[in-house]
Amino acid sequence: LFLMGADTGKVSREQLSPDCTVVYIGSHGDSGASIADVVIPGAAFTEKSVTYVNTEGRAQRTTKAANPPGVAREDWKIIRALSEIANCKLPFDDVYALRSLMGTVAPHLLKVGDLEGANFFSEAAKLAQAEDSHSVSDQSLEAPINKLKDFYMTDSISRASQTMANCVKACDELV
């Protein structure tokens, strides 16, 4: 099982088969890293050039601000290297070739800044009609945070920051 910066604690060892190997790729190892058999240091968001899709559906790109420390690498480089080790070499050697390949699979990712119409409702309708009774749950969703206290400490990067810990402590002392 590959966990790509998966730090929310949604997967536990108890849920996995005893022979499952867990590989964590991330920058600030949190819950996911704690259950991993192998931890591969990945670059933080400021240390890689990435294509994201924001909540409006717009593809956005970032440019790395700094190089990752030590042996950490950008996620695509790690996956590409692992593919070669597995004798299943992926067909890209640089971020430009990767983006080109991404464009063949998901063309909207090349339309940086353009609003892409979401198809959530049509996909949700398909799921609701699925014969598989496990597709749709009648259980309500539980929000991991129900109060705004320390809302800025909800990600692994902030939780790993001594500066943020000091800010929280200072704010708590004021209240």
Side-chain angles (χ1 to χ4, degrees), residues 41-52:
F45 72 96
T46 55
E47 301 163 348
K48 54 188 170 184
S49 298
V50 183
T51 301
Y52 294 99

Side-chain angles (χ1 to χ4, degrees), residues 28 153 156-166:
H28 284 75
M153 296 293 282
S156 62
I157 294 173
S158 297
R159 286 191 300 270
S161 168
Q162 185 61 49
T163 300
M164 290 300 291
N166 291 341

Side-chain angles (χ1 to χ4, degrees), residues 124-162:
K126 287 180 200 173
L127 283 173
Q129 299 301 320
E131 291 182 30
D132 179 6
S133 62
H134 299 292
S135 302
V136 180
S137 172
D138 60 356
Q139 294 180 329
S140 62
L141 297 175
E142 291 290 327
I145 297 174
N146 293 313
K147 296 179 182 172
L148 287 179
K149 181 181 178 347
D150 297 341
F151 70 93
Y152 39 81
M153 296 293 282
T154 58
D155 64 278
S156 62
I157 294 173
S158 297
R159 286 191 300 270
S161 168
Q162 185 61 49

